[in-house]
Amino acid sequence: MEIKLLSEHYDKPEYRSLEGYKKHDGYRVLAKALKMDPKAIVEEVKASGLRGRGGAGFPTGVKWGFLPDNGEPRYLLCNADEGEPGTFKDRLMMERAPHQLIEGMIISAFAIGSKKSYIYIRGEYDDSIRIVREALKEAYSAGFLGQNILGSGFDHDMDVYVGAGAYICGEETGMISSLEGKKGQPKLKPPFPAVKGYLGKPTIVNNVETLAAVIPVVDKGAQAYRQHGTEKSAGTKLFSVSGNVVKPGTYEVALGYPLMDLINNECGGLKPGRKLKAVIPGGSSAPVLTAEECAQANMDYESLAQLGSMLGSGAVIVIDDSNCMVDLLGVIMHFYHHESCGQCTPCREGTGWLNKIVHSVLSGQGRLQDIDLIVRVSEHMMGRTICALSDAAALPAISFVKKFRDEFEFYVREGRSKVKGAAHVEM
Amino acid sequence: MLKCKINGKEMEVPQGTSIIEAFKLSGQDIAHYCWHPGLSVAGVCRLCMVEIEGQPKLQIACNTMVQDGMVINNNSETVKDVVRWGLDFHLINHPLDCPICDQAGECGLQDQYMQFGKYDPEMAERKVKKRKVVDLGPTVVLDSERCILCSRCVRFTDEVSKTHELGIFNRGDRSEIGTFKDRPLDNKYSLNTVDICPVGALTSKDFRFRQRVWYLKTAESICPGCSTGCNVNVYYNEEGLWRVRPRHNPEVNGHWMCDEGRDTYKYVNRKARLLEAKMGHRDNWTLESPGAAAKAAGQKLREVIEAHGPESVALVLTGQYTTEELETAVQKFKGDLGSSLVYHWVNNPESFEDFDGILLRGDKNPNTKGLLKILEQEGVSLTWKDLESRVQQGQIKTVVVAGPENQSVFPDFVEKVNLLAGVENVVWLTACPHSVLDSREKATWQIPLKTYIEKAGSFINHQGKTQSFEVGTVIVSSALTLAEAATLLVGQELEVSSGDRLAELTRKKNFFTETRGAL
């Protein structure tokens, strides 16, 4: 069952404009927040158990608490560089409710004491860029941004920054590099952005959905927010469901919602006559789940971790029995090879190597030892690099090979897919 | 001080030491490419992984600071496996063209693979093809396929030379080092990028394809290019010097040296040298061995003094010689000949104080401070004007000049020779010939001297720091040092080199260095 804390009005076209947003109680919570003690907001967010919705799932309030109290200017960056294959919830949020994001950001900026924020939007999101920019103009002219917001004495400026289409700029330090005008490459940690981020100043980077979710937390309080979800995964989450379902789309459900319910109830199940083969539950970098595992999976951080996968950005890719897993891995490996920034050797060389091995199998040139080699190369790419892109390439590779080894062996032996009718498309 | 344990060895390191520095201090091996003590931490080669007790994940030693009580190791199977695979990742797209690579023999990939490698490559796919000969600028050539993208050269141009010419273009395994259009790698320190390149990606246009490094021997010396006195290693064989590279000295030059200093090997080699003494004047020269020529010149000096008194003989010195040589020369001249006319030839007074903020100084003499010290010690304080007026008045009949070893940095060379045109006899002590000397119309002795690499002694640099050096190699064995020349000029005999010293020099020639390629 959908619980629409954030997406209640997404279906109303008027919600996009300031007028329509205000009609549905927009900016009411901002007025309330500006009267609160900023520290109390941070505490409320901590108590709510809200975790980063971009992929890593780090507790938001804890992250805010890392800011040093040194009087330096602080920056709030909104990560709208939604690049994880399968994810499209941030786009929906920006296109349908740009003011919700802006309101969430002003509240968050007030809580952490930031006078300047940027929304870093993925370059391909033309509509989102245009719509958020228009909304910013409206918010400025209505006095929600700029000097002395709503007479509270709090000043805040907000800008849109457009990315240039690199997956790696969705990684927070890569995004900071890009925003600083440098090549979008992740930075060495420590120091962490909260201590030394944008322009060397304390910086908080949060996902679009995380910032929007601050509104219900501040509005109804942490306890009310915790009513939804599980003990460790509180609240609701937007899931982008794609692949072989009848009704793909973005659905907001409470965390802990069973995966099969999401597929069968919200998404209308699989197409007639098809059988579920696998699901990638959290974007292309999450290890794949087999049909049996899907039956036990709940959509929260802990349940998926227990199954060896992850919630990630909440991109659920449903795969039925008409798909060839070798071919799918080829697509994923092509992506990570293309997107590796090339700084760290294991990732730069490993992603290319994996891509070559999988495509040599796909072209009928594979050797049986290549199947184990995929796993071995992947294992040696994990946990050895500055950011998680290397792991993001290695995890699906390992899970695909381990869980669908028969398809890989068939492909090597026969030089064609085990799945009838599945044609390999050369990337 | 912080206590830590590295591979079981207890040690203390100062606060703010990174783990990789602690490894270096403890003298233990740790694989690495991108880390360089003179540059910022990049943390990209991922080879210096270590295990720290109490931490679940391996950490890179270059970006992790030692904390009190840390127990660190890099000799466990886990770490060894990481390093083996890390090296394999570096090599899967490396062309392995060692037989035609200039770096072979001093290559970080070769050396570290020998030490830490997997010895069982599994790469069966095609390697990425990149550009093999990229002209980066006037001094450096890039081979992109060999490059392991450690980013040392990029960081050098960003942090040390601050010229920002280099960058990494493209991404993933298509990444390549490159320059922007119309902005070549052209700065006064560009060849340091070749030194710090751990592989054969960046090669020096001056040195590439000229010698195999394992046929070269190394000697320590001091760069004579300017008053900074960078510590250097020279690489030589029986034919002469082939290249000069910086030697680490935190108090003088750090890890670096300038490109100008690297060129100083050129005037040392036989091709540029005065090999035999020349006596006579324009169109009428007799060749003679240096010793005999010096003795003959000495005879002439004494005749002149007998005829015109000691004040008819002057000595001109440049800051190009060792303090010891200068001291002997001044003492012999004053003590044995009795003339107090000793002058300091300053080559470029207007730029003497220049400094580029990194290493290069306007004073192109390695030992100006040494010369000034000796002049003061011997009580000489004559100005150049004094010499000019004495020459014009015809009081001076004979001048002995310890001419510049490195003539190219003496823009007033011809002017000074012309100033002495009217002097009856000129004894010009010099390492290299010069055409203006050959066209002198009055009696001239050109006597070959040894260069800095062929003698022992010390220079005092601009900081007042005395830096000693030993004989590196001998290129023109019959040439004299300034001290030897001065001794012969005053009519004394040379002490013959002892057998021990000769044996030591011979031994040095057969010495083969095994520590090449150390990063």
Side-chain angles (χ1 to χ4, degrees):
Chain A
M1 189 190 64
E2 278 198 271
I3 297 171
K4 298 186 170 180
L5 289 188
L6 299 174
S7 58
E8 190 184 349
H9 307 293
Y10 282 10
D11 53 347
K12 305 182 181 75
E14 62 189 31
Y15 202 58
R16 188 189 285 181
S17 69
L18 178 65
E19 206 181 321
Y21 184 64
K22 279 171 85 174
K23 207 169 100 188
H24 296 284
D25 263 5
Y27 288 109
R28 176 180 56 78
V29 184
L30 174 64
K32 176 187 170 188
L34 290 175
K35 290 185 189 111
M36 290 170 70
D37 175 14
K39 283 198 185 108
I41 301 179
V42 176
E43 288 311 314
E44 203 65 37
V45 173
K46 264 186 202 167
S48 74
L50 174 62
R51 293 168 67 169
R53 300 291 192 232
F58 194 81
T60 306
V62 178
K63 197 181 206 177
W64 291 1
F66 288 152
L67 285 169
D69 222 351
N70 55 7
E72 282 190 310
R74 294 163 169 187
Y75 291 98
L76 174 68
L77 308 182
C78 169
N79 189 343
D81 191 53
E82 185 173 49
E84 183 73 21
T87 319
F88 41 82
K89 62 177 179 75
D90 293 345
R91 190 186 71 192
L92 183 87
M93 297 184 77
M94 288 186 285
E95 289 177 5
R96 300 291 171 92
H99 285 285
Q100 189 183 44
L101 170 63
I102 294 167
E103 183 179 6
M105 280 182 74
I106 305 170
I107 298 171
S108 306
F110 176 70
I112 63 170
S114 161
K115 287 185 161 37
K116 176 84 204 180
S117 60
Y118 292 93
I119 308 172
Y120 187 103
I121 307 182
R122 175 176 168 170
E124 293 92 331
Y125 278 4
D126 288 337
D127 285 343
S128 305
I129 294 162
R130 182 174 49 77
I131 292 165
V132 172
R133 276 188 172 146
E134 274 167 23
L136 272 182
K137 261 189 224 160
E138 287 180 317
Y140 263 105
S141 49
F144 294 123
L145 282 170
Q147 304 285 308
N148 191 15
I149 298 169
L150 301 181
S152 63
F154 176 63
D155 306 334
H156 190 77
D157 284 303
M158 198 178 289
D159 260 319
V160 167
Y161 188 92
V162 180
Y167 173 70
I168 195 64
C169 292
E171 199 275 348
E172 61 180 9
T173 52
M175 196 183 104
I176 290 171
S177 297
S178 168
L179 197 61
E180 286 169 341
K182 297 173 188 154
K183 189 174 177 182
Q185 284 183 333
K187 299 181 182 194
L188 264 185
K189 285 153 275 190
F192 287 91
V195 179
K196 244 181 138 181
Y198 178 57
L199 304 177
K201 300 285 181 260
T203 302
I204 292 292
V205 184
N206 284 139
N207 174 254
V208 174
E209 188 185 348
T210 315
L211 290 163
V214 169
I215 302 173
V217 170
V218 174
D219 185 19
K220 301 265 164 59
Q223 284 318 310
Y225 190 72
R226 280 187 163 280
Q227 298 289 305
H228 311 286
T230 68
E231 173 62 28
K232 286 184 173 161
S233 301
T236 61
K237 163 121 192 65
L238 274 69
F239 290 98
S240 320
V241 187
S242 62
N244 308 127
V245 287
V246 174
K247 283 199 296 173
T250 302
Y251 300 93
E252 184 178 8
V253 295
L255 284 164
Y257 194 64
L259 172 59
M260 289 317 295
D261 286 358
L262 180 66
I263 294 173
N264 292 327
N265 302 346
E266 271 67 37
C267 304
L270 273 65
K271 285 174 189 157
R274 295 278 170 79
K275 239 180 81 190
L276 183 68
K277 185 192 259 184
V279 170
I280 301 174
S284 67
S285 58
V288 67
L289 299 176
T290 60
E292 298 80 62
E293 287 167 327
C294 289
Q296 312 156 36
N298 293 336
M299 297 309 284
D300 61 68
Y301 299 99
E302 288 69 34
S303 166
L304 288 173
Q306 234 170 30
L307 291 168
S309 188
M310 56 193 194
L311 188 71
S313 58
V316 180
I317 302 169
V318 182
I319 301 159
D320 72 17
D321 56 357
S322 66
N323 291 286
C324 168
M325 298 307 276
V326 185
D327 196 25
L328 276 180
L329 186 63
V331 174
I332 297 175
M333 290 303 105
H334 172 84
F335 175 80
Y336 286 107
H337 171 232
H338 186 256
E339 295 296 340
S340 166
C341 83
Q343 266 191 113
C344 305
T345 311
C347 175
R348 176 182 70 235
E349 305 295 344
T351 51
W353 194 359
L354 286 178
N355 187 39
K356 281 176 190 162
I357 301 173
V358 178
H359 279 86
S360 112
V361 172
L362 283 170
S363 66
Q365 307 291 310
R367 309 165 302 168
L368 273 177
Q369 68 256 45
D370 284 342
I371 301 170
D372 286 326
L373 188 57
I374 293 174
V375 177
R376 219 163 38 249
V377 170
S378 303
E379 281 169 353
H380 285 93
M381 290 165 64
M382 278 165 42
R384 312 237 167 126
T385 47
I386 290 177
C387 79
L389 194 145
S390 194
D391 298 61
L395 285 168
I398 295 172
S399 68
F400 270 66
V401 171
K402 286 197 171 161
K403 292 179 184 176
F404 300 94
R405 194 180 175 94
D406 56 323
E407 291 196 26
F408 284 84
E409 284 183 357
F410 189 94
Y411 222 123
V412 169
R413 290 220 171 82
E414 306 287 328
R416 63 186 167 86
S417 176
K418 195 178 177 187
V419 181
K420 264 206 174 119
H424 163 54
V425 183
E426 195 58 57
M427 302 286 287
Chain B
M1 296 297 272
L2 304 170
K3 279 197 179 131
C4 64
K5 211 178 199 179
I6 291 179
N7 290 341
K9 186 178 166 188
E10 303 255 5
M11 61 182 300
E12 283 197 1
V13 297
Q15 185 92 33
T17 306
S18 66
I19 294 178
I20 200 166
E21 286 164 342
F23 265 89
K24 297 272 163 188
L25 288 173
S26 76
Q28 303 197 53
D29 291 327
I30 183 162
H32 66 91
Y33 288 120
C34 66
W35 180 78
H36 187 280
L39 301 170
S40 66
V41 172
V44 295
C45 75
R46 316 305 287 188
L47 277 186
C48 64
M49 292 261 181
V50 291
E51 250 174 355
I52 302 168
E53 225 176 73
Q55 295 193 19
K57 276 176 78 178
L58 299 186
Q59 301 292 335
I60 46 171
C62 58
N63 197 44
T64 314
M65 293 294 152
V66 174
Q67 283 164 11
D68 205 29
M70 248 186 192
V71 179
I72 308 154
N73 83 73
N74 75 339
N75 53 11
S76 69
E77 261 322 298
T78 323
V79 180
K80 282 183 181 164
D81 184 56
V82 169
V83 175
R84 280 197 284 268
W85 272 85
L87 277 164
D88 254 39
F89 281 129
H90 276 90
L91 282 164
I92 59 169
N93 283 313
H94 188 80
L96 297 178
D97 55 353
C98 309
I100 55 153
C101 177
D102 259 304
Q103 193 83 0
E106 53 179 9
C107 170
L109 278 179
Q110 287 180 335
D111 291 357
Q112 300 207 29
Y113 202 82
M114 295 295 286
Q115 200 176 353
F116 306 109
K118 186 144 92 54
Y119 290 89
D120 177 24
E122 294 183 76
M123 174 78 167
E125 322 303 327
R126 274 182 193 213
K127 290 174 189 273
V128 178
K129 293 270 178 286
K130 291 181 186 171
R131 297 174 298 167
K132 288 294 280 182
V133 186
V134 185
D135 188 0
L136 287 185
T139 53
V140 180
V141 177
L142 165 71
D143 182 323
S144 274
E145 286 189 344
R146 292 178 190 156
C147 175
I148 55 166
L149 295 159
C150 68
S151 83
R152 279 180 172 192
C153 54
V154 179
R155 281 176 282 149
F156 178 84
T157 54
D158 282 345
E159 297 162 15
V160 181
S161 72
K162 299 198 170 66
T163 43
H164 312 282
E165 296 107 329
L166 296 178
I168 297 178
F169 292 77
N170 218 322
R171 66 182 183 198
D173 58 12
R174 287 88 62 214
S175 299
E176 275 186 63
I177 299 289
T179 54
F180 290 107
K181 204 170 170 269
D182 303 327
R183 270 190 62 195
L185 174 65
D186 187 5
N187 66 63
K188 288 179 171 163
Y189 297 88
S190 61
L191 285 167
N192 287 298
T193 59
V194 176
D195 297 342
I196 58 178
C197 181
V199 298
L202 297 179
T203 46
S204 152
K205 282 188 183 171
D206 189 45
F207 182 70
R208 71 197 307 245
F209 303 139
R210 295 184 68 204
Q211 281 296 328
R212 276 310 202 178
V213 292
W214 53 85
Y215 292 132
L216 294 178
K217 301 171 189 88
T218 319
E220 296 186 349
S221 193
I222 303 295
C223 175
C226 77
S227 62
T228 300
C230 292
N231 293 210
V232 296
N233 283 320
V234 298
Y235 294 75
Y236 64 93
N237 62 9
E238 57 286 347
E239 289 174 56
L241 259 56
W242 291 91
R243 68 172 174 187
V244 180
R245 293 172 110 185
R247 180 159 52 90
H248 181 229
N249 184 339
E251 291 169 37
V252 180
N253 55 313
H255 300 273
W256 322 115
M257 75 180 291
C258 70
D259 292 358
E260 214 173 84
R262 290 170 201 265
D263 276 343
T264 53
Y265 80 89
K266 289 178 181 162
Y267 71 75
V268 170
N269 286 343
R270 287 185 80 87
K271 227 165 94 182
R273 295 286 291 278
L274 180 63
L275 301 175
E276 281 186 283
K278 287 173 163 179
M279 310 192 327
H281 54 84
R282 185 149 127 182
D283 303 332
N284 186 12
W285 296 105
T286 349
L287 297 182
E288 185 54 275
S289 78
K295 279 185 186 170
Q299 185 61 36
K300 185 75 191 170
L301 274 179
R302 286 190 299 282
E303 283 169 21
V304 169
I305 291 175
E306 231 158 78
H308 304 282
E311 298 292 270
S312 63
V313 180
L315 174 64
V316 173
L317 295 174
T318 54
Q320 299 245 309
Y321 298 91
T322 64
T323 316
E324 294 75 7
E325 285 176 292
L326 293 167
E327 183 172 29
T328 310
V330 177
Q331 282 174 353
K332 298 273 182 207
F333 203 78
K334 283 187 73 177
D336 295 292
L337 291 184
S339 169
S340 58
L341 302 183
V342 180
Y343 298 92
H344 178 192
W345 173 1
V346 180
N347 44 335
N348 49 345
E350 61 292 328
S351 59
F352 230 54
E353 296 299 321
D354 290 0
F355 177 48
D356 73 345
I358 305 174
L359 292 170
L360 267 171
R361 292 186 179 268
D363 177 4
K364 296 296 174 199
N365 299 288
N367 200 23
T368 298
K369 281 253 164 102
L371 174 55
L372 294 174
K373 181 185 147 195
I374 295 304
L375 292 179
E376 196 189 331
Q377 174 192 315
E378 301 300 327
V380 181
S381 58
L382 295 170
T383 62
W384 188 259
K385 277 262 177 312
D386 182 71
L387 176 69
E388 281 177 1
S389 71
R390 278 175 199 259
V391 167
Q392 271 155 20
Q393 289 162 23
Q395 296 170 357
I396 293 189
K397 309 291 177 202
T398 301
V399 176
V400 179
V401 186
E405 198 171 293
N406 185 3
Q407 294 175 359
S408 64
V409 297
F410 277 66
D412 54 346
F413 192 90
V414 175
E415 184 196 312
K416 294 288 191 289
V417 175
N418 289 339
L419 170 76
L420 302 175
V423 177
E424 294 288 323
N425 310 295
V426 166
V427 181
W428 200 283
L429 308 169
T430 180
C432 305
H434 197 295
S435 59
V436 73
L437 288 171
D438 286 343
S439 56
R440 220 182 99 82
E441 310 222 341
K442 297 204 168 172
T444 308
W445 286 260
Q446 296 182 45
I447 299 174
L449 288 191
K450 285 204 162 83
T451 56
Y452 74 102
I453 200 65
E454 300 164 288
K455 60 200 177 192
S458 63
F459 291 148
I460 302 180
N461 76 353
H462 73 102
Q463 301 161 294
K465 192 178 167 64
T466 305
Q467 305 196 91
S468 309
F469 51 92
E470 291 297 320
V471 179
T473 179
V474 175
I475 293 160
V476 181
S477 54
S478 63
L480 306 169
T481 65
L482 177 56
E484 286 167 345
T487 309
L488 291 171
L489 280 173
V490 300
Q492 297 169 354
E493 288 297 326
L494 291 182
E495 282 173 39
V496 178
S497 293
S498 71
D500 284 355
R501 181 91 189 99
L502 282 175
E504 190 191 315
L505 276 179
T506 320
R507 242 199 334 271
K508 202 172 167 63
K509 282 209 162 189
N510 298 328
F511 174 68
F512 187 87
T513 34
E514 292 168 337
T515 51
R516 295 290 160 66
L519 295 168

